């Protein structure tokens, strides 16, 4: 590897932006050469970011894969656990300090939180991705491409309803299959797919009977069943409920709908779970966008738009490469929601990284939210489709988050932290470690060894930190390690890196890996397994709507898909106020929806907000540009 530039550590730690802009990134060409990426296998977006072609996978198909490291966390709190910061610090420690070939794989953040409440997602302190401005904003345009594709699909749905309502069968047919020179008609390739679905084995439009023409041209979409909303990649609360079709040109064909944030689009989940261009095309075609008046699923393929959507998204298949502050590579790819979707970066990025680092290298990949959501979906959804198996899981926690789970007082934004979080309190820590224990027990169900990473804050006492490490090992973790990479960079995660390396080597081949449930189980059985065996609940209740959806999806043949639970990330239960490790609770499924293209069903356990709003003081107040330097 090329020499890594040592970080110039300062104390007190400066702001994230000051640190990020003080480090000069390595040219992408140099980094690509270090990792065996050929120039023709990358598309440069300036000197410090690039897209990596899937040709790498073809060329390295016979190479052995590296060690696969999952980073997850305890149940999140408003105090933050530093999961991304730990992922980056671990990659820096492995790559820049232990000199192991290492690549971190992370999701691309939405611009919504960047300008809203959360701010950027590039890590923090001396464990960051750079250029952090590029990472947090447009990057290489993937989210924009997904937004364009999603909105084309939404437009196609409403337009088809409009035209079917205003034209007779013959007029629709003549416009869908117009006569060309010589009076010859032809079917577009996507139309032939629809014909085969209808059981019509004909390739000449002029041979269709009147009955076949009616079946072909009429999708008969029931507007009440449409599942595709338009999207925008900013937080805009006023788009949560809108009425479309109000122009006189739409002839009174209005309906209520809403916008989602771009990363909530099913197309984003598809990108994260696909493994090739052919698979992407197939998954997009399989997207169920609505049902017709008799309950038959209507797909993007039926609309004739699947090919165009794939064209819009073809470049999104290539992961974007950036780097950490210590010049170790990062593949940033996809950013699906972690509630209505699975909340993990892409299969393609992980596969490319595992081939590039080689048998003795490491790929650090992160799952969204806590291990009850992100890690479970990583295993039961992502690993099912990828065929990959993690060698080790890193479970991130903090002393002060554990104190909150132990009964510490609420934390309110803008108000100083209560003393309980600033002073030593081993009793609160011990009680809060019930949450840590439950997560360790859950991860062990997958047959994956666990290393607990205690992300250190200046207010933590040595006794508290040691207590968490000792308890983690008593709960069955292979190791418990204190990390200080926010303040020290990779050096502060060295002990974590060593523990990860030791555990990974002892779990080559992942012989004990297993899923939580088999796909052959019914929809209810899979939901109830997750609730009772993983969350700690005792019972599941279903609304009338949920019962109808279970019956419908079973009849449609979708009951063998994995389950993607959409619930609060703030508790094992569906009540965000229940901290620690609650048990014996009931989970109510109020609805179940499908992402057939992505390949999962997602039960809704409560209200899920798919378009955030802006707070009174959004983060955009702190974002500006130096017009002299362009920084």
């Amino acid at each position: 590897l090329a020499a890594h530039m040592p970080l110039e550590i300062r104390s007190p730690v400066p702001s994230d932006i000051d640190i990020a802009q003080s480090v000069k990134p390595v040219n992408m060409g140099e980094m690509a050469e270090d990792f065996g990426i050929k120039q023709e296998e990358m598309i440069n977006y300036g000197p410090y970011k690039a897209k990596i072609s899937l040709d790498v996978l073809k060329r390295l198909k016979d190479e052995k894969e590296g060690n696969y490291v999952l980073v997850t966390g305890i149940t999140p709190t408003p105090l933050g656990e530093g999961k991304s910061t730990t992922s980056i610090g671990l990659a820096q420690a492995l790559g820049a300090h232990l000199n192991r070939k290492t690549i971190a794989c992370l999701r691309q953040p939405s611009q919504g939180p960047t300008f809203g409440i959360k701010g950027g997602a590039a890590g923090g302190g001396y464990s960051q991705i750079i250029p952090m401005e590029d990472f947090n904003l447009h990057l290489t345009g993937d989210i924009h491409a997904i937004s364009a594709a999603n909105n084309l699909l939404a437009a196609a749905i409403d337009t088809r309803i409009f035209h079917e309502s205003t034209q007779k069968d013959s007029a629709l047919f003549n416009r869908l299959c117009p006569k060309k020179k010589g009076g010859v008609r032809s079917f577009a390739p996507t139309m032939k797919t629809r014909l085969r679905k209808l059981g019509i084995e004909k390739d000449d439009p002029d041979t269709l009977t009147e009955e076949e023409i009616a079946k072909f041209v009429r999708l008969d979409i029931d507007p009440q069943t449409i599942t595709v909303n338009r999207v925008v990649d900013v937080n805009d609360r006023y788009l949560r409920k809108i009425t479309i079709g109000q122009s006189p040109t739409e002839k009174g064909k209005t309906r209520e709908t809403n916008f989602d944030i771009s990363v909530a689009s099913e197309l984003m989940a598809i990108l994260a779970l696909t493994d090739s261009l052919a698979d992407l095309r197939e998954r997009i075609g399989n997207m169920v966008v609505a049902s017709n008046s008799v309950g038959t699923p209507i797909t993007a393929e039926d609309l004739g738009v699947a090919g165009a959507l794939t064209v819009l998204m073809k470049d999104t298949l290539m992961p974007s490469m950036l780097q950490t502050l210590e010049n170790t590579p990062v593949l940033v790819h996809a950013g699906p929601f972690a509630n209505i979707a699975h909340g993990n970066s892409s299969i393609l990025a992980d596969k490319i990284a595992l081939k590039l680092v080689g048998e003795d290298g490491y790929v650090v990949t992160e799952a969204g939210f806590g291990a009850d959501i992100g890690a479970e979906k990583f295993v039961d959804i992502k690993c099912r489709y990828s065929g990959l198996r993690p060698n080790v899981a890193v479970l991130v926690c903090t002393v002060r988050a554990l104190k909150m789970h132990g009964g510490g007082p609420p934390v309110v934004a803008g108000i100083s932290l209560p003393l309980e979080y600033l002073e030593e309190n081993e009793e609160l820590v011990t009680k809060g470690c019930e949450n840590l224990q439950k997560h360790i027990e859950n991860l062990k169900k997958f047959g994956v060894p666990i290393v607990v990473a205690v992300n250190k804050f200046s207010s933590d006492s040595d006794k508290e930190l040691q207590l968490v490490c000792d308890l983690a090992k008593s709960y069955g973790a292979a190791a418990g390690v204190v990390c200080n990479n926010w303040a020290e960079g990779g050096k502060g995660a060295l002990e974590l890196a060593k523990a990860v390396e030791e555990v990974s080597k002892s779990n080559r081949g992942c012989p004990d890996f297993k899923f939580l449930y088999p796909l052959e189980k019914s929809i209810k059985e899979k939901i109830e397994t997750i609730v009772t065996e993983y969350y700690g609940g005792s019972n599941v209740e279903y609304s009338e709507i949920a019962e109808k959806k279970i019956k419908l999806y079973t009849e449609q043949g979708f009951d063998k898909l994995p389950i993607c639970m959409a619930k609060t990330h703030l508790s094992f239960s569906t009540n965000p106020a229940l901290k620690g490790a609650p048990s014996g609770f009931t989970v109510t499924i109020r609805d179940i929806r499908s992402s057939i293209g992505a390949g999962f069903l997602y039960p809704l356990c409560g209200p899920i907000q798919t378009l955030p709003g802006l707070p009174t003081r959004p983060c955009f107040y702190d974002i500006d540009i130096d017009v002299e330097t362009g920084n």
Side-chain angles (χ1 to χ4, degrees):
L1 299 178
H4 297 282
M5 294 295 291
L7 282 174
E8 186 180 323
I9 304 294
R10 291 162 56 193
S11 183
V13 177
S15 69
D16 289 350
I17 187 72
D18 286 343
I19 293 172
Q21 293 186 346
S22 72
V23 176
K24 182 175 175 58
V26 170
N27 187 285
M28 278 293 110
E30 181 182 343
M31 184 167 290
E33 186 178 350
D34 280 347
F35 278 78
I37 303 171
K38 297 182 178 180
Q39 282 299 312
E40 59 268 27
E41 293 171 338
M42 57 189 294
I43 300 172
N44 289 303
Y45 285 67
Y48 306 128
K49 58 182 176 177
K51 273 188 167 293
I52 306 302
S53 168
L54 304 195
D55 290 343
V56 171
L57 277 178
K58 297 175 186 175
R59 179 171 59 83
L60 300 178
K61 66 182 187 330
D62 296 326
E63 294 293 320
K64 291 186 177 180
E65 295 168 342
N67 296 279
Y68 198 28
V69 182
L70 168 66
V71 177
T72 183
I74 62 168
T75 305
T77 69
L79 293 163
E81 285 63 61
K83 192 154 43 75
S84 295
T85 302
T86 302
S87 298
I88 297 162
L90 172 58
Q92 290 176 171
L94 286 164
H97 295 265
L98 295 183
N99 292 317
R100 309 293 186 251
K101 273 197 169 185
T102 304
I103 298 177
C105 294
L106 275 76
R107 288 185 292 169
Q108 180 182 353
S110 165
Q111 289 180 160
T114 299
F115 293 115
I117 294 176
K118 185 183 178 209
Y126 286 102
S127 293
Q128 294 189 59
I129 296 172
I130 54 173
M132 65 107 76
E133 307 94 313
D134 296 47
F135 173 76
N136 284 314
L137 298 175
H138 309 285
L139 195 54
T140 52
D142 290 355
I143 293 180
H144 300 313
I146 287 168
S147 300
N150 184 97
N151 292 341
L152 175 61
L153 176 58
I157 295 167
D158 286 303
T159 301
R160 187 59 176 261
I161 293 172
F162 173 80
H163 288 311
E164 286 189 23
S165 69
T166 57
Q167 298 179 51
K168 295 181 178 179
D169 293 351
S170 58
L172 281 169
F173 184 67
N174 287 330
R175 287 180 170 88
L176 287 170
C177 299
K179 289 184 177 180
K180 297 181 181 177
K181 276 188 176 181
V184 177
R185 302 180 194 268
S186 63
F187 290 122
T190 186
M191 292 177 175
K192 293 181 181 179
T193 303
R194 171 160 171 75
L195 287 167
R196 303 298 179 263
K197 178 180 175 181
L198 294 170
I200 301 172
E201 299 292 332
K202 295 180 179 179
D203 293 325
D204 183 354
D206 289 322
T207 63
L208 265 60
T209 66
E210 286 188 9
E211 183 183 355
E212 289 170 339
I213 286 173
K215 287 172 68 178
F216 170 64
V217 301
R218 295 279 170 194
L219 298 182
D220 190 25
I221 294 171
D222 178 356
Q224 297 301 315
T225 67
I226 295 171
T227 59
V228 176
N229 296 319
R230 288 161 175 82
V231 298
V232 63
D233 197 35
V234 293
N235 293 359
D236 191 345
R237 66 193 317 126
Y238 279 90
L239 294 177
R240 289 172 178 169
K241 188 173 185 179
I242 60 171
T243 302
I244 61 172
Q246 296 191 85
S247 168
T249 56
E250 273 52 74
K251 302 179 181 179
K253 307 297 179 185
T254 63
R255 72 177 180 94
E256 283 191 351
T257 182
N258 58 275
F259 272 72
D260 294 328
I261 199 160
S262 295
V263 294
S265 169
E266 183 179 349
L267 290 169
M268 178 62 88
I270 287 173
L271 176 63
L273 290 170
T274 192
D275 63 3
S276 67
L277 181 58
D279 182 63
L280 177 70
R281 174 63 179 81
E282 182 180 356
R283 285 175 179 270
I284 290 176
N286 289 339
M287 285 180 69
V288 174
V289 301
S291 297
N292 66 13
S293 59
V294 296
T296 303
I298 302 298
T299 66
E301 199 73 68
D302 291 323
L303 280 163
V305 73
L309 303 183
T310 309
V311 170
L312 280 171
M313 286 181 59
K314 70 179 181 66
D315 287 345
T316 68
L317 275 175
M318 297 182 283
S320 299
M321 187 162 76
L322 288 85
Q323 61 194 281
T324 68
L325 289 170
E326 296 188 64
N327 313 128
T328 60
V330 181
L331 292 184
V332 181
H333 201 212
F337 254 31
N339 45 33
I340 65 168
H342 62 294
N344 284 260
S345 61
S346 77
I347 286 172
L348 280 170
D350 289 0
K351 284 190 170 183
I352 288 172
L354 286 163
K355 291 293 187 182
L356 288 173
V357 300
E359 186 177 11
D360 296 324
Y362 292 85
V363 171
V364 178
T365 192
E366 180 189 335
F369 288 154
D372 58 318
I373 297 181
E376 187 272 318
K377 295 175 183 181
F378 170 85
V379 170
D380 284 318
I381 298 176
K382 184 176 179 179
C383 288
R384 280 190 203 271
Y385 285 118
S386 70
L388 301 174
R389 306 289 182 258
N391 299 90
V392 59
V394 174
L395 182 60
V396 181
C397 66
T398 64
V399 165
R400 54 189 201 171
L402 291 169
K403 286 179 178 178
M404 176 170 278
H405 282 295
V411 174
V412 180
I415 298 178
S416 299
L417 280 179
L419 286 177
E420 286 86 344
Y421 300 109
L422 301 174
E423 296 178 347
E424 185 174 280
N425 191 323
E426 292 185 71
E427 183 180 348
L428 270 185
V429 174
T430 302
K431 183 76 171 75
C433 276
E434 291 178 0
N435 185 269
L436 177 66
Q437 180 179 11
K438 176 62 175 169
H439 283 296
I440 291 173
E441 290 172 354
N442 281 349
L443 289 169
K444 289 177 72 176
K445 294 179 191 290
F446 301 127
V448 180
I450 302 126
V451 173
V452 170
V454 189
N455 190 18
K456 181 180 179 180
F457 282 76
S458 59
S459 56
D460 302 339
S461 74
D462 290 341
K463 281 186 178 180
E464 290 172 327
L465 293 167
Q466 189 59 50
L467 174 63
V468 177
C469 291
D470 291 343
L471 286 173
K473 286 184 280 189
S474 74
Y475 299 149
V481 183
V482 176
C483 304
N484 196 26
N485 47 280
W486 178 80
E488 298 179 351
K491 179 183 175 183
L494 256 178
E495 293 308 309
L496 173 62
K498 291 174 182 176
V500 164
E501 185 168 44
E502 181 179 346
V503 174
S504 295
K505 285 179 178 177
S506 68
N507 192 36
R508 294 294 291 180
C510 311
D512 299 323
F513 178 85
K514 53 185 175 291
F515 300 114
L516 189 62
Y517 54 81
L519 293 180
E520 292 71 31
K521 281 191 172 186
S522 69
I523 293 172
K524 280 190 174 182
E525 286 173 329
K526 284 180 278 200
I527 291 171
E528 288 157 15
T529 297
I530 295 170
V531 170
T532 59
E533 294 186 21
Y534 206 75
Y535 296 164
S538 60
N539 188 39
V540 181
E541 295 179 350
Y542 301 87
S543 70
E544 185 178 346
I545 293 174
E547 292 280 9
K548 287 179 179 177
K549 290 288 189 70
I550 289 171
K551 184 174 183 293
L552 175 66
Y553 294 145
T554 302
E555 290 171 350
Q556 292 177 338
F558 301 144
D559 55 315
K560 302 311 177 191
L561 291 174
I563 298 297
C564 181
M565 298 289 280
K567 74 170 188 73
T568 179
H569 58 291
L570 297 173
S571 173
F572 278 108
S573 72
T574 54
N575 179 357
L578 290 180
K579 303 300 182 186
S583 61
F585 52 84
T586 294
V587 168
T588 300
I589 307 298
R590 67 179 183 89
D591 194 2
I592 301 180
R593 297 177 186 170
S594 65
S595 289
I596 304 305
F600 54 75
L601 302 177
Y602 60 99
L604 301 179
C605 305
I608 301 294
Q609 185 56 260
T610 55
L611 184 59
L614 292 170
T616 304
R617 192 190 188 285
C619 290
F620 62 60
Y621 277 99
D622 301 313
I623 299 173
D624 212 324
I625 192 164
D626 185 325
V627 296
E628 297 297 327
T629 65
N631 289 336

